[in-house]
Amino acid sequence: TAPIHVVGGGLAGSEAAWQIAQAGVPVVIHEMRPVRGTPAHQTDKLAELVCSNSFRADDWAGNAVGLLHAEMRKLGSIIMASGDAHQVPAGGALAVDREGFSAAVTEKLLSHPLVTVSREEVAGLPPAEWDSVIVATGPLTSPALSEAILELTGEGQLAFFDAIAPIVHLESIDMDVAWRQSRYDKEGPGGDAAAYINCPMSREQYEAFIDALLAGEKSEFKDWEQVPYFDGCLPIEVMAERGRETLRHGPMKPVGLTNIHKPDEKPWAVVQLRQDNALGTLWNMVGFQTKLKHGAQTEIFRTIPGLEKAVFARLGGLHRNTFINSPRLLDRQLRMKAQPRLRFAGQVTGVEGYVESAAVGLLAGRFAAAERLGRPIDPPPVTTALGALIGHITGGHLDAGAGSFQPMNINYGLLPPIAPPKRAEDGRRLGAKEKSRIKKRLVGERALADLETWVNGASTLAAAE
Ligand code: FAD
């Protein structure tokens, strides 16, 4: 069998290649690192995590990304298996030791008999003799390839910026001021209810901090103002610009936490840090992505109580994001309509996040392998998180003008809703919170059942697993 070519060995490319190889089809991964780098990657490992080490909430019954985790696990995802094997404590989230995680993915792929890894940049359209290609080159697709894609599609490419949160050495945090606790003492994967380090702020300290953020020197970007930010990854200074209370209701909210050093004093705001490596020596400042200049970051972040002597392993930064207008360009098999030998996967298709990128890689890999084996499969139903993601990138936006399609994380809004029961089993009327909790669980149960049906029925690949 002729191999399928996967361009880019990131989250999506690694997952796609794994699915193809597991289906019994040979695959070549073309990864440009370390021959050529990107502005964010720092290693030559496959599936490198460029920023946070979190795959977010891991609860299939209560969170959409947790549901996506569960579906991917059912389909033998290499990203989920390696994440599970290298998790670090993180409250109700799945966070991973970044080095252990990427090393595991790299090792598994390199040792698979059907996988070849070629370290080279694909610096233009893939050669015509590659009859089945998955382009998974991510938000930092090399300029030569993005120009070629642009030329092929004729569509405008949308570029915007994300922001990296700073990482602090544990030993430099003053634990006489800071304390360990997860919000509401929620237990993480290892049963750890103290997965976060918390730094408390009084009202005066918070107000001074906001002033400093607003005044701090920022990196200049000409087209910054046209950047279509997506909520959930706003730079802190942009949040502060939106209102002095915004941070206190966002990443710095003081709820569900009690300062063990001063139990009677309610903090006005709290900065949280989450473990970033297995050793527990590095901690990242949750939600503190920023475009402040490095000097300003060091100065301002050291005004946070507990971080006065912080030593930063990495400061916050910015990055570009490249994605195509998928609803117009791709079919439901993720093939480019204008050139169906080319499939797209990962963040470049307009999903957002490590897990979502890997999820689209998983589907692209399965579609390509099934096609190669002469037994094409349908996408999973929209009632599954995987089907909902495909729906987001390939459907529903066809009539929208270019530029209106925006990247999105998986969320319940993409899945068809289920009406919750009005009453509990004991006849009691259910409150709004209870209803919402039940609704999420029902959506999760339906998704996992429908995915099972899809695997058994449509997916001829199941037999090869
Ligand atoms: P990548 O993982 O970037 O993989 C693409 C690969 O293609 C890279 O290895 C690259 O070297 C290679 N490549 C590029 N061009 C070529 C070429 N022409 N030839 C050969 N190889 C090529 N998501 C989160 O969930 N959490 C975060 O904290 C987070 N932070 C981010 C921070 C930054 C700086 C950026 C840019 C994105 C961030 N994202 C984050 C978004 C996104 O989920 C990740 O970028 C994710 O890695 C995307 O997966 P991917 O496989 O699509 O791309």
Side-chain angles (χ1 to χ4, degrees):
T1 323
I4 293 169
H5 295 266
V6 174
V7 186
L11 275 295
S14 298
E15 186 65 64
W18 178 254
Q19 296 288 332
I20 293 166
Q22 288 293 86
V25 175
V27 57
V28 184
I29 301 174
H30 304 265
E31 169 53 57
M32 68 178 183
R33 292 175 291 120
V35 182
R36 196 187 166 110
T38 81
H41 291 82
Q42 290 175 9
T43 75
D44 63 358
K45 292 280 186 295
L46 301 177
E48 176 179 333
L49 303 177
V50 288
C51 181
S52 154
N53 64 329
S54 174
F55 288 178
R56 321 206 301 283
D58 197 30
D59 169 18
W60 69 263
N63 194 288
V65 77
L67 178 59
L68 193 55
H69 290 175
E71 293 183 11
M72 291 170 72
R73 287 186 181 111
K74 262 183 183 281
L75 299 179
S77 159
I78 186 178
I79 294 301
M80 291 312 302
S82 308
D84 288 339
H86 291 275
Q87 59 180 272
V88 296
L94 172 61
V96 308
D97 171 56
R98 66 177 72 240
E99 279 177 24
F101 165 76
S102 299
V105 175
T106 308
E107 172 56 31
K108 274 192 189 175
L109 284 167
L110 285 177
S111 58
H112 198 296
L114 291 174
V115 178
T116 308
V117 179
S118 172
R119 300 286 184 167
E120 64 188 349
E121 178 188 5
V122 175
L125 272 198
E129 59 270 24
W130 298 0
D131 68 338
S132 178
V133 181
I134 296 176
V135 179
T137 43
L140 304 167
T141 295
S142 76
L145 181 56
S146 25
E147 272 161 35
I149 294 170
L150 239 183
E151 208 168 298
L152 174 69
T153 61
E155 290 277 339
Q157 147 184 299
L158 292 175
F160 61 99
F161 295 89
D162 261 332
I164 297 179
I167 294 180
V168 182
H169 286 279
L170 174 67
E171 59 196 15
S172 69
I173 302 173
D174 183 353
M175 294 306 289
D176 289 336
V177 175
W179 75 98
R180 286 195 187 212
Q181 184 187 10
S182 298
R183 230 183 264 289
Y184 300 110
D185 298 312
K186 208 170 169 191
E187 285 186 10
D192 188 349
Y196 291 81
I197 292 179
N198 304 283
C199 300
M201 274 190 185
S202 66
R203 184 173 193 158
E204 295 68 37
Q205 286 163 331
Y206 177 79
E207 293 297 337
F209 182 73
I210 298 296
D211 287 338
L213 284 183
L214 295 174
E217 207 183 341
K218 328 261 175 348
S219 303
E220 295 291 335
F221 286 96
K222 266 198 296 234
D223 41 3
W224 184 258
E225 300 309 327
Q226 287 109 53
V227 170
Y229 288 129
F230 39 100
D231 286 334
C233 205
L234 288 178
I236 45 167
E237 62 279 4
V238 174
M239 279 190 256
E241 276 162 19
R242 290 190 174 180
R244 298 187 68 88
E245 290 291 291
T246 308
L247 279 166
R248 226 169 67 75
H249 294 289
M252 293 175 71
K253 59 179 178 280
V255 301
L257 297 164
T258 307
N259 185 347
I260 54 163
H261 307 295
K262 295 179 181 168
D264 300 331
E265 258 178 46
K266 188 105 194 78
W268 186 251
V270 171
V271 174
Q272 286 203 304
L273 295 99
R274 182 175 53 221
Q275 189 175 331
D276 201 69
N277 63 341
L279 282 177
T281 50
L282 297 176
W283 290 69
N284 68 59
M285 299 174 68
V286 180
F288 266 53
Q289 50 275 5
T290 177
K291 65 181 175 104
L292 285 167
K293 286 200 164 164
H294 282 186
Q297 286 186 44
T298 316
E299 196 177 309
I300 297 170
F301 297 154
R302 285 193 183 139
T303 66
I304 297 169
L307 299 186
E308 292 88 348
K309 300 205 169 104
V311 178
F312 295 94
R314 186 175 79 186
L315 284 161
L318 294 170
H319 20 84
R320 199 166 59 86
N321 194 347
T322 310
F323 63 98
I324 60 170
N325 190 9
S326 294
R328 190 158 287 184
L329 299 174
L330 303 185
D331 68 14
R332 297 216 329 132
Q333 290 275 324
L334 298 167
R335 286 175 302 215
M336 180 154 271
K337 291 174 196 159
Q339 212 174 112
R341 74 182 176 110
L342 300 181
R343 272 191 171 76
F344 282 75
Q347 182 130 335
V348 76
T349 63
V351 291
E352 167 61 28
Y354 300 143
V355 181
E356 288 86 342
S357 297
V360 178
L362 184 152
L363 291 172
R366 286 195 165 226
F367 293 158
E371 188 181 73
R372 177 64 100 220
L373 295 169
R375 294 171 300 199
I377 51 171
D378 281 332
V382 68
T383 47
T384 63
L386 283 162
L389 267 187
I390 287 266
H392 168 63
I393 55 185
T394 66
H397 302 267
L398 284 174
D399 297 321
S404 73
F405 173 60
Q406 291 300 321
M408 197 179 285
N409 286 117
I410 185 68
N411 63 80
Y412 284 114
L414 298 178
L415 288 136
I418 293 185
K422 288 203 171 60
R423 295 182 183 277
E425 277 170 13
D426 60 7
R428 189 172 43 87
R429 276 193 89 80
L430 293 167
K433 269 194 180 157
E434 251 177 316
K435 274 191 194 157
S436 155
R437 213 182 52 232
I438 293 172
K439 237 161 64 177
K440 289 176 180 173
R441 184 170 46 75
L442 291 175
V443 167
E445 282 170 359
R446 177 184 63 185
L448 295 175
D450 287 357
L451 189 75
E452 193 73 37
T453 310
W454 178 76
V455 173
N456 294 334
S459 178
T460 48
L461 296 179
E465 278 170 9

